[in-house]
Amino acid sequence: MNLYKRQVLLSNIGKTGQARLQESSVLIVGMGGLGCPVAQYLCAMGIGRLGLIDGDVVEASNLHRQILYGVNDIGQKKINVASRRLKKQNPFVCIEKYVTYLNHENAEDVIKKYDLVVDGSDNFYCRYLVNDACVLFKVPFISGAIDQFEGQLSVYNYGDGPCYRCLYPVPPLPGQVQNCERAGVLGVMPGIIGTILAMETVKVLLRLPEILSGQVLQIEALRMLFQSFRLKRRKECSSCGEQPAISNLQVSKELAAQVSVGSHCQGRRYRVLLQLST
Ligand SMILES: [Zn+2]
């Protein structure tokens, strides 16, 4: 409790809230730019159990934005480096490692073990898989994305709120959205979005009011413009609608074959593309 003294002082946290955080479990999908700050803050704040899933290794081009890793870690599995660092940061948090990628075969087993999922993945197969699995297994999730100097995030599948397919019904076709590797990204952007993901995680775990569900926050950092737009649950949504077409993860299996697994970002340009196409 000494570690958390300053946040226990907060009237809407208190000892009860802190105890609830320590009883909570969160799965972080993808330990890249977004996953790093989310994991660090959740670990520091004393979340009881943190699951980390990613099969990737640390590369030199990751280091300007993936702040758990250093030059000496290049070539090592991200999950192994991250869990070592996080255990040093706060040994009282249980870190559960999954040195693999989330896929349609392991998603059910992994996701069901957690109260909440934070999606920091970088490809559409994984984003839609997280959505469909979380809706099927009734787990709320928070998803963030970054694109150059912009980012967006929202809380999905929370209470009666919308899911990711209510916003983007189907994944974009290959080439419709720019690849992050080509478009570039400023190092601090995932930090900005990631810390807000951590904030919303705490709000959901503690059931605090004004959770970012039913609205999408959009940030343009060059103008330091924060905007949010409302997102309603769609009755005809294939995932969370009244008669959902998606009743298992078979669609994700098909998606794996159709959508190239790359580093797609999806900021404003994708939203604009969608608006133009609908
Ligand atoms: Zn939906």
Side-chain angles (χ1 to χ4, degrees):
M1 271 295 181
N2 275 343
L3 297 182
Y4 314 118
K5 254 182 182 171
R6 294 294 187 273
Q7 69 187 26
V8 168
L9 283 173
L10 297 164
S11 60
N12 40 9
I13 307 280
K15 284 186 178 172
T16 315
Q18 187 62 43
R20 183 173 276 178
L21 290 180
Q22 286 168 243
E23 286 159 10
S24 300
S25 56
V26 176
L27 175 70
I28 302 175
V29 179
M31 280 302 291
L34 292 169
C36 285
V38 174
Q40 283 173 294
Y41 272 108
L42 295 185
C43 185
M45 289 188 284
I47 302 298
R49 205 154 53 79
L50 270 186
L52 315 175
I53 182 162
D54 198 323
D56 214 357
V57 296
V58 178
E59 294 177 31
S61 63
N62 300 152
L63 301 184
H64 80 297
R65 67 188 188 285
Q66 302 187 13
I67 51 169
L68 272 170
Y69 317 123
V71 285
N72 292 334
D73 304 318
I74 292 171
Q76 292 192 56
K77 290 283 186 186
K78 287 181 180 177
I79 294 297
N80 293 333
V81 180
S83 71
R84 274 204 305 273
R85 297 267 148 78
L86 295 169
K87 277 177 190 167
K88 276 188 191 170
Q89 186 191 356
N90 187 348
F92 304 106
V93 171
C94 173
I95 308 287
E96 295 174 340
K97 302 194 297 180
Y98 302 92
V99 189
T100 181
Y101 295 101
L102 191 77
N103 61 45
H104 48 274
E105 282 165 357
N106 63 22
E108 179 171 1
D109 284 346
V110 178
I111 284 176
K112 274 182 167 176
K113 290 181 185 152
Y114 297 89
D115 299 325
L116 183 145
V117 173
V118 178
D119 168 34
S121 64
D122 63 356
N123 64 82
F124 287 103
Y125 162 70
C126 199
R127 284 188 189 285
Y128 283 84
L129 173 64
V130 167
N131 180 77
D132 297 343
C134 284
V135 172
L136 282 172
F137 309 126
K138 299 180 172 52
V139 179
F141 72 102
I142 310 178
S143 187
I146 46 168
D147 178 22
Q148 297 189 344
F149 299 97
E150 297 172 10
Q152 71 175 43
L153 73 143
S154 186
V155 177
Y156 300 97
N157 197 39
Y158 178 75
D160 293 328
C163 80
Y164 194 71
R165 283 187 190 269
C166 292
L167 176 63
Y168 301 121
V170 290
L173 298 169
Q176 197 179 7
V177 175
Q178 275 208 64
N179 189 308
C180 204
E181 282 169 23
R182 282 196 209 150
V185 60
L186 188 72
V188 71
M189 275 313 298
I192 294 170
I193 299 297
T195 47
I196 303 176
L197 290 172
M199 180 71 221
E200 289 301 316
T201 299
V202 170
K203 283 164 66 182
V204 171
L205 294 176
L206 299 184
R207 300 179 186 90
L208 296 181
E210 314 270 349
I211 286 164
L212 195 70
S213 165
Q215 50 179 319
V216 179
L217 178 67
Q218 189 90 33
I219 298 171
E220 290 180 46
L222 283 182
R223 294 196 287 159
M224 211 40 91
L225 197 62
F226 286 59
Q227 294 174 295
S228 60
F229 59 93
R230 285 192 58 172
L231 174 66
K232 284 186 179 168
R233 190 169 178 179
R234 289 188 306 114
K235 283 180 187 170
E236 66 277 20
C237 175
S238 58
S239 186
C240 75
E242 287 175 353
Q243 290 176 312
I246 298 167
S247 56
N248 54 48
L249 296 178
Q250 181 64 27
V251 67
S252 291
K253 194 176 172 186
E254 289 159 16
L255 201 59
Q258 286 167 11
V259 179
S260 56
V261 179
S263 302
H264 298 121
C265 284
Q266 78 181 132
R268 195 172 50 143
R269 272 190 298 278
Y270 180 42
R271 184 153 64 90
V272 171
L273 275 170
L274 268 172
Q275 282 170 347
L276 288 174
S277 64
T278 52

